[in-house]
Amino acid sequence: MSASSSQALEYLELLPRQTHTKLYDQPSTVLAIFRCMLPHIAKSIVMAMLYMPGHFASADLDTWFRPDGRGEKDKALSVLEQLHIIVLKQDANRHSSYELYKGFQKSLRQALEGSGTHRSFGVPSSQPDPNKVTVAFLDEYARKQWENILYYMVGSTVGFATAGALGQDVGEGTKALLKMGEFVKVNNGRVSITRAGFTFVLQETNAQVWSLLIVYLRNSPQLGMSETDVLSFLFMLGSLELGQDYTITTLSATQRSMLDDLSAFGIVYRSSKTASTFYPTRLAVTLTSDSGALSTSDLALSSSLTPSAGSRSGSNTQGFIIVETNYRIYAYTSSLLQIAVLSLFTKLTTRFPNLVSGKLTKESITRAIKLGISSQQILSYLSSHAHPQMRGIIHPTVMDQIRLWEYEGERVETTDGYLMKEFGTEQEYKELVGYAESLGVLVWRDDAKRRFFVDRMEQIKLYLGKQQRSRG
Amino acid sequence: MNAIDGTDRHVKADDTPPPSLLAIVLDTNPHAWAHLSNTLPLSSAVANLLVFINAHLASGNANEVAVIASHSHKASWLYPTPKSATPSSSSHNGTSNSSTNPPAPPENPNKYRPFALVESAILSNLSHLLTSTTEAHLASTPTTLIGGALSLALSYIAKSTLLHSPLDTSLEATALSALADSETTHAVRIPLTSRILIISVSGDLANQYIPVMNSIFAAQRKRIPIDILKLAGDTVLLQQASDATGGVYMKPERPEGILQYLMMGFLPDVTARRSFVMPSAGGVDFRAACFCHRKVVDVGYVCSVCLSIFCEPTLPDNTCLTCGSYLSLRTAQTPQPALLPRKKKKKKRVAGGTDSTTPGGTPVGSGTPMHG
């Protein structure tokens, strides 16, 4: 599970049960959720239960796990319960057992067997398209659209907005969406990037797409769209075939209206607004896959960022930035987007056709930090785009100095969350703090005073509720 | 890049399990499936297997699968379909006219396309294999070429691991890029975890004792678990395979329920198995099979040159059946080997087959020495 899908998972977890139930009607959605959202152990549990004739007694489940796999088990089960995939039931004899939700079970079986008549994996167009487009064209289209959006965010901040055609033809809908997601803010008609926006720009492409789509999802009810429809359409897109055209006749009205927005993002391509078919681009088909397919989407997008690398045949995922120990930066790029990103935290001095050079200065770093960019973000940007000759390592001097410049400004770190205190017994405290630790939400603990601090509450709440029920 | 995602603290992104390659050896021995046809015909076994393969592919985005049929007269690829241009990778019996590229599967909106591709390849290759089997092939042998299929699986895994594992491009690039695809040479690689699953129905495999044993040792060395699903018959050889490589061994009472056995027992990959208690063979029979009559022996005679095992001392022409060297066992046959007077250098007599951990007093017949 990568950063990109974990964002989507966080969003999914917060949905109410009714939405989940509706979502699980579509085998493509169920398969996509299974493939990319679930922790590895959870997948094994679901598969073991999928064709099980009866319930899975929780005692049996316990014996199936090794003693040291307990933490993994708790995490997997809590995600599964949160997503309303399994439910814990108690029969008359107080024997508890797990059970898959019927809708989920049915859809996942259909997805694996290829049975049913749901047609949820996309219906290819029956007529051959006279103007069939190639995969290379789709990649180019997706890259152009997406880079436009990024450039709109970054370019205007650093005052490049008039420098080129990039970032100009971003649709009003997309601009509004970026504003709603608080990726950019507009002051006196001037667009500037926010901290969230910078996080967004520095993410992997796949994660960027998800972040934007999640904003889209959050706002879909206001646009009169059903969240379920939007989500299942996105998951369907993720299971389509690149380079194939699909008919829109089987789509719902919501989904058809989504096509316009999605083609503005570069996620799907349509030859015209009234075309009866659409092509998914690489951004779409990698929505529900991570590591494996991600490199290809990065590759497609970076192909123009490093034009020197030329063809898309593989080696152009490499970086282009050289950082010297004297804080000088050389970046072999001619992409306006990359230059704009660099200029957020570097003092750029010279630009050549294929190279820009500049220097990291205290001034430039503190300016970036004021914009809401953290030193960690800068460093990870530099190291992930480092030139192969750098071997992905930035010199410790530079790393430390960038951090020190940041620490000068901030002495206190804050975490939003919840303080748990006033436990009745040591036992109760130990249990709950252990559970919080295994979920990975524990931030701080004070054993002497039986207090601890968590940054997420939902699962703890469920756990407490469950315990109360089992006691009472 | 995960670290920069400030929102990502709930689920750590680093625990992405490595992709896993599952090589399935399907025993398609027609004789054995004929016996099973009442409880589990081959067609439904394959249908269940396909669901299992889909489940495996769904369990990880980069998961891969390879399927090999171990047939009565040859071992043959079912998936991926061998390229006809490279005969060496297709089957150890030569390609003959086996599978050219199968037609693309029809677009089915009810099926996830990667699943459909795998399924149609497996089904078309399997039906090709079955139609090309003649009666002469069937009559010639009642068993299956598990050894050849295992070697195919191991060599495929070795190749895939090479394609996935990180390489130092500066050092070994020239040697290895010849083997690797030029496309992937420079890409960042992620380790691949592999395992082999043998779905076996044939009982008597002792005639392939040597090739199978060699494959087992190769798998052991490469840390590739060999899982065994034994639907019918029984053979000590495969028990030893799963025991030696740390794989799963299951012999279901009811072969009809194959899918549930597969989903629960065999689906967790090497990463997931760290958290689960996996079924194993329990008491493993470490006895070896004799090379002359393929009987499992408690006490046998061993050729001093090639270590072949024989159950009785009467060998034709006093030569070893395996290596052909002179081997007179008659002199070794004596009721009291301990009191043997000093003679010329003679053939040794060993107790208990290959493994010294087998207790000496093994009861003859059904009694299985318990190991550990």
Side-chain angles (χ1 to χ4, degrees), chain A residues 1 6 35 40 43 47-48 51-52 64-66 112 116 118-122 202 239 241 290 380 455, chain B residues 1 4 7-10 13 16-17 54 58-59 61 107 109-110 112-113 260 267 269 273-277:
Chain A
M1 192 168 16
S6 75
R35 281 172 49 225
H40 198 60
K43 288 181 186 173
M47 278 303 175
Y51 287 94
M52 200 174 269
W64 191 27
F65 274 90
R66 288 173 198 238
L112 289 185
H118 44 84
R119 300 164 82 82
S120 67
F121 288 101
L202 290 193
S239 55
E241 175 87 356
D290 36 46
S380 66
D455 56 357
Chain B
M1 277 278 234
I4 57 162
T7 60
D8 175 27
R9 46 185 138 60
H10 173 47
T16 315
N54 290 347
S59 297
N61 284 310
E107 287 288 348
N110 295 324
Y112 185 47
R113 202 172 147 78
Q260 182 59 33
L267 191 62
D269 63 10
R273 281 181 193 183
R274 277 181 223 133
S275 310
F276 291 118
V277 180

Side-chain angles (χ1 to χ4, degrees), chain A residues 1 15 22 58 90 93 122 128 163 176 182 262 330 357-358 411 447:
Chain A
M1 192 168 16
L15 291 175
K22 250 188 281 169
S58 49
Q90 268 188 346
N93 306 329
E182 295 180 341
L262 293 181
Y330 303 93
S357 72
R411 307 267 165 92
D447 287 340

Side-chain angles (χ1 to χ4, degrees), chain B residues 28-185:
Chain B
T28 54
N29 179 4
H31 296 281
W33 282 106
H35 282 297
L36 268 177
S37 58
N38 287 330
T39 48
L40 179 75
L42 179 60
S43 56
S44 64
V46 170
N48 284 324
L49 185 62
L50 287 177
V51 173
F52 170 69
I53 290 173
N54 290 347
H56 167 73
L57 292 177
S59 297
N61 284 310
N63 277 6
E64 292 173 37
V65 70
V67 188
I68 298 151
S70 132
H71 206 52
S72 54
H73 66 288
K74 66 173 185 178
S76 155
W77 282 103
L78 296 183
Y79 183 85
T81 309
K83 293 187 193 86
S84 41
T86 53
S88 58
S89 70
S90 63
S91 77
H92 78 251
N93 249 3
T95 34
S96 60
N97 49 2
S98 74
S99 53
T100 48
N101 283 341
E107 287 288 348
N108 180 356
N110 295 324
K111 189 169 269 181
Y112 185 47
R113 202 172 147 78
F115 294 172
L117 288 174
V118 175
E119 283 187 21
S120 78
I122 291 177
L123 290 178
S124 83
N125 287 334
L126 183 62
S127 69
H128 188 270
L129 175 69
L130 295 184
T131 49
S132 67
T133 310
T134 62
E135 287 185 13
H137 290 141
L138 287 185
S140 60
T141 170
T143 178
T144 183
L145 291 172
I146 202 88
L150 257 180
S151 331
L152 277 183
L154 283 170
S155 52
Y156 183 81
I157 288 175
K159 193 171 144 197
S160 305
T161 312
L162 207 59
L163 286 175
H164 275 82
S165 60
L167 292 176
D168 194 335
T169 41
S170 60
L171 288 176
E172 292 166 310
T174 45
L176 291 171
S177 60
L179 293 164
D181 275 346
S182 58
E183 274 192 285
T184 45
T185 323

Side-chain angles (χ1 to χ4, degrees), chain A residues 303-315:
Chain A
S303 61
S304 86
L305 308 184
T306 52
S308 54
S311 67
R312 300 210 317 96
S313 61
S315 55

Side-chain angles (χ1 to χ4, degrees), chain A residues 129 131-138 243 269 271 279:
Chain A
D129 188 349
N131 319 313
K132 199 164 171 60
V133 295
T134 61
V135 172
F137 173 85
L138 288 176
Y269 170 77
S271 47
Y279 293 85

